[in-house]
C-alpha cells in the first residue's frame, strides 16, 4: 500500500529558518547603525567646513570693524567711535576664539599659522590706527583725560609734534586712507582666503569619502531589505508546501473519505493520523503568529530609522535608495500583519467586541487613510452613505474597518486609472426594531476578476491576475481574512 510521507519535519525547518532569521535581524540592525554612523560623519565634516568659513569671516569682519571705527573717528572726532574701537580691542575675542576652535577641531598647525599671520597683520594695523587716532585727537584738540590710555600713551615723533592741529588731522586721515594701509588690510584677506581654500580642499576629499561610505551603506541596507523580503517569503512558502499543505491534504482525505488516495489499516491508524494533523495545524498557527509578531518589532525600528534618515540631507540617488528601502519595509510589515491576523483567525483567538460607533466617523477615517494613496495614482476616491443609515451602530467597528481597509487597499492596488467608490448601506429588519443588515460595497475601474477565480481568491495564499506575476505583491491573505471576519460576525462577502 503506497502512502504519502512527510520528507521534511517542522523541527528540521525550524533549525534552518530560525538561525537565518536571527542572522538577518542582526545584519539589518548592524547595517542601520553603520548607515547612521556614516551619515553622522558626513554631517560632522559639513559642520567643520561651515565653521571654518565662519571663523575666516569673523576674522575679516573684526579687522574691518576696527578700521571702520578708526576711520570714523579721524573724520568726525566723535568720541563714541574711539570708545567702540578700544572696547573691541580689549573685550572682543572673535580673532582669538577662531584660532582656539580650529586647534580643538584638530586642524594642522601649518593651516593655523596662516590665520595667525592674518591676526599678526591685524595687530600691526592696530599700531598704525593708534598713531592716526593720536594725531586726530591732537588735531581735534581733544582732552587727554577723555582719551583711552592706549591713545593717550602713544608718543608722536618730533616732526608730528611740530605740526599744527589741522596738519595733524590731515596726516591722520592720510594714514588710514593711504594705499599702503589698504594693501596691508588686503594681506589679511589673502591669508584667510588661502587658509579657507586649503582647508576646503581637504574637507572636500573627506566629504567625498564620506559620501561613498553613505552610498555603500545605503546600497547594503537596500540589499538587506530585499533579502529579508525574499527570505521571509521563502520561509512562508517552505512551511506551507512542506508542512502545511501535506497536512491539509491528509485532512481533506479523511474528511472526504477518499479511499483511493488514503487506505487506512484500521481505526488506530486514523486516530494517530488525526492527532498528528491537529498537532501540525496547531504548530503552523503558533509559528505563524509568533514569527509574524516578533518580526514586526525590529522592522518597526528599521522603518523608524529610515524615516529619520529621510529627514537628513541626501542627494537624489540616496533619496531613491531610502524610498526603495521604505517600500520594501512597508511591504514586509504588511505581509507580517496579514499572516498574524490569519493565524489568529485560524486558531479562533479573535473575539468580537460590542460597542457603539458612528458611520460618518468610520467613512472619514477611511478617507483620511486612503486618499493620499489614491492621489498618488491620480484616482478618484468616493466614500458615501445610502439609505436611512442610523446615526449610531452597535458592533465591532475594528473588524468592519479591517474588512473595508483590505478591500480599499486591493482596489487602489489593482486600479491604474479611473476611480474607486465605497458605499455603506443599511437595510433595517421590519420584524425586529433596531436590527438590520449593514452592506459595504466597494467598486473600482480595475481589470476585474475572472468568474472562475471568484471562489479561489478566498483561499489562503491564492492570488489571481497580475498579483500572481508579482506585479502588485501581497501574500494572498487579505481576502481570506476578510471572509473569516465577515463570517465571524455572521455575515458574508
Amino acid at each position: 500500500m503506497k502512502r504519502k510521507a512527510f520528507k521534511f519535519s517542522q523541527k528540521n525547518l525550524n533549525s534552518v529558518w530560525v538561525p537565518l532569521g536571527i542572522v538577518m535581524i542582526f545584519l539589518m540592525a548592524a547595517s542601520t547603525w553603520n548607515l547612521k554612523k556614516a551619515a553622522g560623519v558626513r554631517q560632522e565634516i559639513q559642520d567643520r567646513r561651515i565653521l571654518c568659513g565662519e571663523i575666516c569671516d569673523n576674522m575679516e569682519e573684526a579687522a574691518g570693524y576696527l578700521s571702520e571705527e578708526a576711520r570714523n573717528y579721524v573724520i568726525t572726532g566723535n568720541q563714541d567711535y574711539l570708545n567702540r574701537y578700544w572696547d573691541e580691542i580689549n573685550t572682543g575675542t572673535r580673532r582669538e576664539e577662531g584660532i582656539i576652535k580650529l586647534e580643538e577641531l584638530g586642524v594642522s598647525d601649518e593651516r593655523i599659522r596662516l590665520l595667525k599671520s592674518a591676526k599678526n597683520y591685524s595687530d600691526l594695523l592696530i599700531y598704525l590706527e593708534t598713531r592716526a587716532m593720536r594725531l586726530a585727537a591732537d588735531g581735534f584738540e581733544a582732552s587727554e583725560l577723555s582719551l583711552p590710555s592706549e591713545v593717550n600713551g602713544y608718543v608722536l615723533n618730533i616732526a608730528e609734534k611740530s605740526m599744527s592741529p589741522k596738519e595733524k588731522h590731515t596726516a591722520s586721515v592720510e594714514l588710514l586712507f593711504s594705499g599702503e594701509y589698504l594693501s596691508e588690510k588686503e594681506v589679511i584677506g589673502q591669508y584667510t582666503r588661502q587658509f579657507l581654500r586649503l582647508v576646503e580642499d581637504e574637507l572636500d576629499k573627506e566629504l567625498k569619502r564620506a559620501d561613498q561610505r553613505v552610498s555603500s551603506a545605503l546600497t547594503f541596507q537596500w540589499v538587506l531589505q530585499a533579502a529579508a523580503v525574499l527570505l521571509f517569503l521563502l520561509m512562508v512558502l517552505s512551511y506551507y508546501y512542506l508542512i502545511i499543505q501535506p497536512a491539509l491534504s491528509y485532512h481533506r482525505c479523511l474528511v472526504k473519505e477518499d479511499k483511493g488516495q488514503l487506505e487506512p489499516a484500521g481505526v488506530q491508524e486514523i486516530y494517530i493520523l488525526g492527532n498528528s494533523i491537529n498537532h501540525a495545524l496547531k504548530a503552523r498557527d503558533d509559528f505563524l503568529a509568533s514569527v509574524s509578531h516578533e518580526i514586526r518589532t525590529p522592522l518597526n525600528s528599521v522603518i523608524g530609522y529610515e524615516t529619520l534618515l529621510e529627514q537628513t540631507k541626501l542627494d537624489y540617488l540616496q533619496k531613491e535608495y531610502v524610498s526603495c528601502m521604505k517600500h520594501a519595509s512597508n511591504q514586509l510589515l504588511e505581509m507580517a500583519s496579514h499572516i498574524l491576523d490569519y493565524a489568529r483567525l485560524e486558531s479562533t483567538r479573535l473575539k468580537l467586541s460590542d460597542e457603539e460607533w458612528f458611520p460618518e466617523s468610520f467613512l472619514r477615517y477611511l478617507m483620511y487613510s486612503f486618499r493620499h494613496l489614491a492621489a498618488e495614482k491620480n484616482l478618484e476616491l468616493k466614500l458615501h452613505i445610502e439609505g436611512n443609515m442610523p446615526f449610531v451602530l452597535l458592533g465591532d467597528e475594528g473588524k468592519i474597518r479591517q474588512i473595508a481597509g483590505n478591500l480599499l487597499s486591493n482596489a487602489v492596488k489593482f486600479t491604474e486609472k479611473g476611480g474607486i467608490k465605497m458605499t455603506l448601506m443599511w437595510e433595517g429588519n421590519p420584524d425586529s426594531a433596531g436590527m438590520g443588515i449593514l452592506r459595504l460595497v466597494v467598486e473600482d475601474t480595475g481589470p476585474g476578476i475572472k468568474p472562475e477565480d471568484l471562489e479561489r481568491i478566498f483561499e489562503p495564499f491564492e492570488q489571481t491576475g497580475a498579483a500572481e506575476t508579482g506585479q502588485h505583491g501581497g501574500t494572498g491573505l487579505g481576502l481570506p481574512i476578510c471572509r473569516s471576519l465577515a463570517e465571524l460576525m455572521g455575515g458574508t462577502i
Side-chain angles (χ1 to χ4, degrees):
M1 181 172 59
K2 187 176 179 180
R3 294 186 177 89
K4 296 180 180 179
F6 292 99
K7 296 181 180 180
F8 296 91
S9 67
Q10 183 176 342
K11 182 178 180 181
N12 292 336
L13 287 178
N14 288 347
S15 64
V16 173
W17 288 115
V18 171
L20 282 177
I22 294 173
V23 171
M24 182 58 66
I25 292 172
F26 173 78
L27 287 176
M28 292 175 69
S31 174
T32 302
W33 178 83
N34 183 49
L35 182 59
K36 182 180 179 182
K37 184 178 179 181
V41 171
R42 186 188 186 283
Q43 187 62 44
E44 181 184 353
I45 296 172
Q46 193 70 24
D47 293 341
R48 286 168 56 194
R49 181 172 183 171
I50 295 173
L51 180 60
C52 289
E54 291 177 349
I55 289 173
C56 291
D57 291 342
N58 286 339
M59 185 163 287
E60 291 191 34
E61 287 175 4
Y65 176 79
L66 293 176
S67 297
E68 189 69 22
E69 295 299 314
R71 286 175 171 177
N72 288 335
Y73 174 71
V74 301
I75 292 174
T76 64
N78 190 331
Q79 188 75 22
D80 293 337
Y81 295 117
L82 190 63
N83 292 335
R84 286 199 292 267
Y85 178 93
W86 289 104
D87 284 341
E88 175 64 22
I89 293 294
N90 296 323
T91 62
T93 57
R94 285 189 288 178
R95 298 180 301 163
E96 292 79 3
E97 280 184 350
I99 296 175
I100 294 173
K101 287 181 179 178
L102 291 175
E103 292 174 346
E104 292 174 351
L105 287 175
V107 178
S108 64
D109 294 338
E110 182 181 356
R111 304 286 180 263
I112 294 178
R113 275 197 294 271
L114 292 172
L115 283 189
K116 288 184 177 179
S117 298
K119 182 179 179 300
N120 291 336
Y121 264 89
S122 179
D123 292 340
L124 291 175
L125 288 180
I126 293 174
Y127 175 80
L128 184 62
E129 290 161 354
T130 304
R131 177 185 172 194
M133 287 185 283
R134 175 75 252 193
L135 287 170
D138 290 350
F140 292 122
E141 297 180 350
S143 172
E144 293 187 354
L145 296 177
S146 64
L147 296 175
S149 59
E150 292 83 358
V151 178
N152 194 26
Y154 186 87
V155 179
L156 299 174
N157 58 40
I158 296 175
E160 291 170 336
K161 287 182 179 180
S162 62
M163 293 180 181
S164 65
K166 184 176 181 180
E167 291 174 336
K168 289 181 178 180
H169 179 254
T170 302
S172 67
V173 173
E174 290 177 351
L175 280 174
L176 296 185
F177 289 90
S178 65
E180 179 183 358
Y181 178 78
L182 294 177
S183 63
E184 292 291 337
K185 280 182 63 64
E186 178 62 23
V187 171
I188 298 175
Q190 291 175 356
Y191 276 114
T192 55
R193 287 191 292 272
Q194 184 181 1
F195 164 81
L196 190 58
R197 184 174 63 255
L198 293 174
V199 169
E200 284 184 342
D201 289 342
E202 293 179 355
L203 292 178
D204 282 341
K205 294 178 181 178
E206 293 184 25
L207 195 61
K208 186 176 180 180
R209 289 193 295 268
D211 286 337
Q212 291 175 349
R213 183 178 175 185
V214 171
S215 180
S216 299
L218 280 171
T219 303
F220 184 62
Q221 184 82 314
W222 182 82
V223 171
L224 277 180
Q225 292 281 348
V229 173
L230 181 61
L231 186 67
F232 183 74
L233 290 176
L234 289 175
M235 179 185 65
V236 172
L237 290 174
S238 66
Y239 273 95
Y240 178 73
Y241 285 110
L242 300 177
I243 301 297
I244 301 172
Q245 192 179 53
L248 291 176
S249 178
Y250 274 104
H251 181 67
R252 282 194 295 268
C253 291
L254 289 174
V255 172
K256 296 179 180 179
E257 297 182 357
D258 191 350
K259 296 183 179 181
Q261 296 188 28
L262 179 64
E263 295 181 359
V267 177
Q268 184 66 23
E269 182 179 351
I270 297 177
Y271 177 77
I272 295 174
L273 185 58
N275 281 339
S276 65
I277 291 172
N278 290 333
H279 287 307
L281 293 176
K282 185 177 184 301
R284 177 204 66 174
D285 296 335
D286 291 342
F287 175 80
L288 290 178
S290 176
V291 170
S292 300
H293 176 76
E294 292 299 327
I295 202 171
R296 291 197 299 180
T297 301
L299 190 57
N300 282 326
S301 177
V302 171
I303 293 174
Y305 277 117
E306 288 168 351
T307 302
L308 293 176
L309 179 62
E310 195 175 33
Q311 296 171 359
T312 62
K313 295 181 180 178
L314 302 173
D315 58 29
Y316 174 80
L317 185 59
Q318 292 167 348
K319 288 181 179 179
E320 185 177 359
Y321 286 157
V322 173
S323 177
C324 292
M325 290 159 52
K326 289 190 69 176
H327 177 73
S329 299
N330 289 324
Q331 187 178 9
L332 181 57
L333 184 61
E334 180 184 3
M335 291 179 181
S337 298
H338 276 174
I339 292 174
L340 179 59
D341 290 339
Y342 181 72
R344 287 174 175 170
L345 283 168
E346 287 294 294
S347 59
T348 65
R349 278 181 282 185
L350 284 183
K351 295 182 179 179
L352 294 176
S353 62
D354 204 19
E355 56 187 10
E356 293 184 349
W357 58 282
F358 303 92
E360 290 288 347
S361 300
F362 173 80
L363 289 185
R364 190 160 50 249
Y365 168 84
L366 293 174
M367 175 62 76
Y368 288 157
S369 301
F370 289 92
R371 64 182 177 185
H372 69 284
L373 297 176
E376 289 177 357
K377 300 179 70 173
N378 294 322
L379 299 176
E380 183 181 12
L381 179 62
K382 293 182 179 180
L383 306 179
H384 68 283
I385 295 175
E386 285 185 3
N388 298 321
M389 179 68 64
F391 179 72
V392 178
L393 294 176
L394 189 65
D396 196 325
E397 182 189 9
K399 303 294 186 299
I400 301 174
R401 184 183 293 178
Q402 187 173 358
I403 294 174
N406 277 335
L407 296 179
L408 284 174
S409 177
N410 280 349
V412 173
K413 185 187 300 183
F414 290 94
T415 303
E416 298 302 328
K417 60 181 180 179
I420 300 161
K421 181 174 70 172
M422 193 188 84
T423 306
L424 206 61
M425 296 176 285
W426 175 257
E427 297 178 6
N429 188 347
D431 298 332
S432 180
M435 301 294 289
I437 297 175
L438 179 67
R439 295 191 182 276
L440 190 152
V441 180
V442 177
E443 303 172 76
D444 62 63
T445 57
I449 304 170
K450 297 178 181 179
E452 60 268 21
D453 291 333
L454 285 176
E455 187 62 30
R456 184 171 64 87
I457 58 175
F458 288 96
E459 294 295 326
F461 306 103
E462 290 288 347
Q463 295 178 310
T464 183
E468 291 181 324
T469 66
Q471 178 180 346
H472 297 283
T475 59
L477 290 176
L479 290 179
I481 290 173
C482 288
R483 169 168 281 187
S484 297
L485 289 175
E487 292 174 351
L488 184 65
M489 293 182 287
T492 59
I493 179 169

